[in-house]
Each structure stands twice: as C-alpha cells, then as structure tokens.
Amino acid sequence: MIKLDSLRCNYGKKTILKNISLEIEKHLTILGANGSGKSTLAKALCNLIDYEGTISIQGRDIKELSLKERAKLISYIPAKLEVYDPYISVEEFVLLSRFAHKKNSMDYSDKDKKITQNTLEFLKIAHLKNHTINSLSSGEAGLTLIAGALAQQSKIIILDEPTANLDPHNCKIVAQHINGLKEYHQVILITHDLHLASFIDSPTLFIKDSQATYYEDDFFQDSVLKELYGVEFSNLAVKYE
Amino acid sequence: MSKFFIWLLLLLILFISPFIGAVSLDVSDVFRPDSLQNSIFFELRLPRVVFAFFAGSILALSGLLFQTLFRNALMTPYTLGISSGAVLGAGVAIKLGLGSLAFGIAAISIFGFLGAMLTILLLIYLAKFLKNSHYESILLLGIALSLFYTSALMVLFYLGSAMQNDILLRFTMGSLSVIGWLHPITITAIGFILFLTIYLYRYELQLLSISDESATLRGVNTKRVTLVLLIVSSFAIGTLVSISGPIGFVGLIVPHIVAKLHPVTVNKRILKTALFGGFFLVFCDTLTRALQTQSELPIGIVTALIGGPFFIYLIISKGKS
C-alpha cells in the first residue's frame, strides 16, 4: 500500500502539486491535462525529485529506503526509451534491471540471466535480444521497457504514458500486457489515452490545477468526462479486448 | 579481420619499439651484460615503453570514463582543463625556481599534481550550481578554465627568464622520456589502480551510460559512483601529467576508435580501451624516436597532429548522423 500525506511539489517557484493525501490500496490510473503534474507525481513516488510531505510504501518512508531496496519495491517505465550507449543490446538492457538483486561488483548470476531470458520470451521479444536498443521500433522499445520492469521484480510498477508513441496495433499489445501486470503487481498508470485508461479500469486520480480528485469507479461516464475535459463524449469505445 | 590486423600491428610495434631510437639496438648486443647497448635497453628504452604504455592506458581509460559519466563524446580530462591545471601548477613551480626534491619527488610534479586536483575539485564545486541534466555546461566551464589557465601560463612566460621558459615550454609539449624505473613503476601501479576501480564499477558505469535516471531507478547511487570515479581518475591523470606534461587527444580519440572497432556495450570495452590506449601511445612515441632529426619530436605534438584531424572528422561525421 502506498500512502501520500500532504504531498506538495514545486518546480522552481511554481507549485505543481499541492495538498495531496491519498491511500493507494491497489492499482491506480492517473489522468490529467498536459503539464498538470502527472509525471511529477510519479517521479515523487520514485523519490527522483524533491517534495514536501511524506510518501510511504508498506509503512516505510521512501526517503529512508536504500536505493537498492527502493528499486526492489518500485520500477518506473518512462514514456520513451532513451540510451546514451548506442551499442547496448536488448538482453543487456533488461539484465541491468537485476542490478538491485546483484552483489556489489559481481557479475550477474545465472538466475538473473534466466529471469531475463524468460521475461523476453514471455513478452515474445526473445528474437530481438541481440539487437541494439537504438534499432528498435517504438512498439519493440515499449515492450523492452516492460521487460525491464518485469525483470526488476518490484511489487509496484509505474508506467508513464506507455502508449504515447504507439500505433493502434502496438497500443493493443501493450495494453493487454499492462492488464496482465495487474495480477501480480500494483500498477500505477499515467496516461491521457482514455481508451487505455478505461480498458485498464483502475480507480482514477484526476489532476487539475495542482489538485487531485479520486474516483473509485465512476470516472468513465460521459457526463463526468465532459465536465472534466470540456469535450463531448459518447460511450467511450473500448478497443483493446 | 581488419580488426585483428590492427591489433596485431600495434602488438608488433610494442615489441620493436625499444629497438628504435637515436642509437639503434641489436638484439644480440642488448643481452650482453655490461655493454652500453644493454644499459640503453634496460635503463632507457624498456622503462620508456612501459611508461608510454601505461600512460596511454590511463589517458584512454580516463577519456572513456569522462565520456560515459557525462554522456558526452567531448568530455576528457584534457578538454575539461584538468591537464591545463597541471601545466599551470608545474609552471608556477618552475617560475618560483623550486627545482629541489621533497621526499624524492620533484617540486614540479607536486605542483602539477596539485594543479590537476584543484581543477577537478573546482569543477565539482562549480557543477553544484548547475542543473543536474546540463552536463554541456560543465564542458563549457572546463573550456573556460582551460583558457584562463593558458592566459595565466602566458603571464608566467612573460615574467620568466629564458632558461625557465625553456623548461616550461618543454614541459607543456609533453615528454615520455624517463631514466630508470621509478616513474614507469609509479605509473604502472596507478594504471592498475584506475583499471581495477573502473572494473569494480563496470555495471554501474553501464547503467550510467543509459541515463542518470535509469541508473538511480535501478539502485545505483549515481552521485557517489560518479564522485569516486572522477576522483580516482583525476588522481591518476594528475600524477601522470605532473611527470610527463600534458599529452592531448589520446583520451579523446582512443575510446572512439575502440568503439568503432568493437561496437559493444561500455563494460565490454574497458580492457580493450586500456590496451589500445597503451599501444597507441607506444606507437606515437616510437614515431617521435623514428622521425627524429636533431632531437626527438615532443610526444604531445605527435598525438595532437594525429588527433587534431581525427577530432575534426569526429565532429563532421557526428553532424551527418
């Protein structure tokens, strides 16, 4: 369980999020306009940025966790897979997710390699394992990022705009995998893809004007959406089944 | 296959290098004890090759390290002004007339070392005022420091006597000429320390070569790892430059050549970069002795003459992609 207590995030002098208190029991989808602070909230959860207030996971303040402990609890999937090293392969990239499970200065164990191999096979991208990251298509890159999060074996997985750069076919593949993640992981999904959000169907947090509103299960109704987005909706079609 | 021949050629040069120079040596004479050839070989040439090899390794490894840590192809101890700091330190020692020894180490070396270490500490301090993601700004800081040091060095030249200026000028051009085994052994030991440190952090380095954020999210204490690696490599560079003077371009070009020859992830290039750096500097040093007319060409000039055009090629080919 994740607990936020009077969370406040500033960027320079600008307040991005304020006064957010929330208990996240299980899955959560975070929606909101561009620049509303969705990613800021995700980065605060990973302790990547400064914030006021407290965030605790399973009763422990995340600021008190060691980096490796935190990595075993939370993995974060960014919107885009960007690497400086142009030569790193898919397999090597996914194997790096085992870093927190590895002894300092030692090589990755056979178990780590086995987990990597199984994850690649599970996501049906084992044939890409020797390809360099930079040669992947957006869809393949999206699956590689998910493979990384799975290999990290963290309880919580945060996905930041996983379908932002994908065509409808790859959206569907990624959406189905995210839905599958819900079985063993606590999935926190940030998106403005309403089709994806309604398909994943988790409780929803809507962020607007640096405030957050929580919807247990009554978010995806035309009247609610119209009020929040100011756009007419009629029966948001679910396409990912 | 061409890869194999490049490595083989460099290895061959390593073995013939000690026999090339002002006095050409014959294998049969070299192993005759008490001959002049014997002492030239064992007291001058062999130590010099060892010194050049490990100096090249340190320069290349530091280049690889800086380029990976800052994720910028132009980051090296040389472009960041760390070498210039050492030169200025040495210049001050020469100007003050500190020729004497302290604990068997020349004052020039101590001042040179301090110059390099002060520069890296200054860069780390100044970098705190920058936003974390803007590593280009550190490069600009380094270039600004380099220019400042060069001007300060000009002032020393202006104030110096003809003899002081001659010593200083020779120092700024770099030299691998050593007598006996003290310096080669020092640099060998430091080369091993640097290699071992980088090897211990090889997976942290691999994660840092993706991005700072990815490394943090997977459990790397990026600030601590970066600091440890920067301090160790600056210590190595500081010691080296205080003995040899600045030798540019090796740190810049060798990691790129190795990456072109062996396009694999960074932790698989550490040993190759160290070896290639060593071979490359021995090759350049052999050239200085082979091409000599009245006296040897300074090593810094040879590496810059080869490295300069390569640097331009690198910038142009980067622009194309």
Side-chain angles (χ1 to χ4, degrees), chain B residues 159-190:
Chain B
L159 297 174
S161 68
M163 210 180 83
Q164 286 171 342
N165 285 355
D166 191 54
I167 301 171
L168 190 51
L169 188 65
R170 280 178 187 281
F171 185 78
T172 58
M173 288 189 291
S175 168
L176 292 167
S177 160
V178 288
I179 297 165
W181 284 95
L182 174 67
H183 287 151
I185 287 171
T186 310
I187 291 304
T188 303
I190 287 174

Side-chain angles (χ1 to χ4, degrees), chain B residues 11 26 71 148 166 262:
Chain B
L11 195 65
D26 206 310
R71 290 179 288 281
F148 175 79
D166 191 54
H262 302 277

Side-chain angles (χ1 to χ4, degrees), chain A residues 75 77 149-150 154-159 181 185-188:
Chain A
S75 54
I77 301 182
L150 279 176
S154 60
K155 185 76 194 116
I156 302 162
I157 296 182
I158 301 176
L159 299 110
L181 294 179
H185 300 269
Q186 181 171 5
V187 173
I188 297 180

Side-chain angles (χ1 to χ4, degrees), chain B residues 293-314:
Chain B
T293 47
Q294 284 192 313
S295 67
E296 289 171 9
L297 269 174
I299 182 71
I301 289 178
V302 174
T303 55
L305 281 178
I306 297 177
F310 184 82
F311 194 55
I312 292 169
Y313 161 75
L314 198 73

Side-chain angles (χ1 to χ4, degrees), chain A residues 31 40 58 61 87 110 112 198:
Chain A
L31 288 163
T40 305
Q58 291 164 0
D61 191 328
Y87 308 115
D110 289 341
D112 293 329
S198 68

Side-chain angles (χ1 to χ4, degrees), chain B residues 14-20 25 30-31 37-54 176 178-181 184-185 188 282 285 289:
Chain B
L14 185 74
F15 283 109
I16 59 164
S17 178
F19 298 98
I20 292 171
L25 300 178
V30 161
F31 295 102
Q37 300 232 359
N38 178 281
S39 50
I40 289 176
F41 187 83
F42 285 102
E43 292 302 314
L44 293 176
R45 297 281 173 80
L46 212 54
R48 181 167 177 157
V49 170
V50 170
F51 184 72
F53 183 84
F54 284 97
L176 292 167
V178 288
I179 297 165
W181 284 95
I185 287 171
T188 303
V282 170
D285 184 46
R289 279 179 283 135

Side-chain angles (χ1 to χ4, degrees), chain B residues 21-263:
Chain B
V23 180
S24 41
L25 300 178
D26 206 310
V27 185
S28 55
D29 295 330
V30 161
F31 295 102
R32 212 175 53 227
D34 301 325
S35 68
L36 178 65
Q37 300 232 359
N38 178 281
S39 50
I40 289 176
F41 187 83
F42 285 102
E43 292 302 314
L44 293 176
R45 297 281 173 80
L46 212 54
R48 181 167 177 157
V49 170
V50 170
F51 184 72
F53 183 84
F54 284 97
S57 295
I58 289 172
L59 292 167
L61 279 177
S62 300
L64 179 70
L65 199 58
F66 276 63
Q67 287 163 8
T68 309
L69 288 177
F70 295 114
R71 290 179 288 281
N72 185 316
L74 302 182
M75 291 278 194
T76 65
Y78 197 76
T79 44
L80 282 176
I82 294 164
S83 299
S84 315
V87 174
L88 186 63
V92 170
I94 292 167
K95 177 68 193 101
L96 294 177
L98 299 173
S100 60
L101 299 173
F103 309 110
I105 306 164
I108 295 177
S109 296
I110 295 171
F111 273 65
F113 178 73
L114 289 178
M117 291 309 281
L118 279 177
T119 306
I120 189 69
L121 292 178
L122 190 61
L123 277 176
I124 291 170
Y125 174 72
L126 290 174
K128 281 187 184 166
F129 297 101
L130 302 172
K131 281 211 186 98
N132 217 3
S133 52
H134 294 153
Y135 283 132
E136 284 79 7
S137 313
I138 298 179
L139 188 60
L140 288 177
L141 283 176
I143 291 168
L145 275 179
S146 288
L147 291 173
F148 175 79
Y149 289 151
T150 308
S151 301
L153 197 67
M154 286 303 141
V155 174
L156 285 181
F157 269 118
Y158 185 74
L159 297 174
S161 68
M163 210 180 83
Q164 286 171 342
N165 285 355
D166 191 54
I167 301 171
L168 190 51
L169 188 65
R170 280 178 187 281
F171 185 78
T172 58
M173 288 189 291
S175 168
L176 292 167
S177 160
V178 288
I179 297 165
W181 284 95
L182 174 67
H183 287 151
I185 287 171
T186 310
I187 291 304
T188 303
I190 287 174
F192 273 106
I193 291 171
L194 180 62
F195 178 79
L196 201 69
T197 312
I198 297 176
Y199 183 76
L200 289 177
Y201 284 107
R202 64 200 177 287
Y203 291 117
E204 279 86 343
L205 209 56
Q206 197 184 15
L207 269 165
L208 281 164
S209 80
I210 292 173
S211 71
D212 231 44
E213 194 179 89
S214 312
T216 309
L217 286 166
R218 284 171 182 76
V220 177
N221 189 338
T222 54
K223 274 190 185 145
R224 200 188 66 201
V225 172
T226 306
L227 201 66
V228 168
L229 290 172
L230 282 186
I231 297 282
V232 173
S233 73
S234 300
F235 168 76
I237 286 290
T239 314
L240 173 63
V241 174
S242 71
I243 297 170
S244 69
I247 299 169
F249 288 103
V250 178
L252 186 68
I253 65 172
V254 170
H256 288 288
I257 297 173
V258 173
K260 285 255 187 290
L261 287 176
H262 302 277

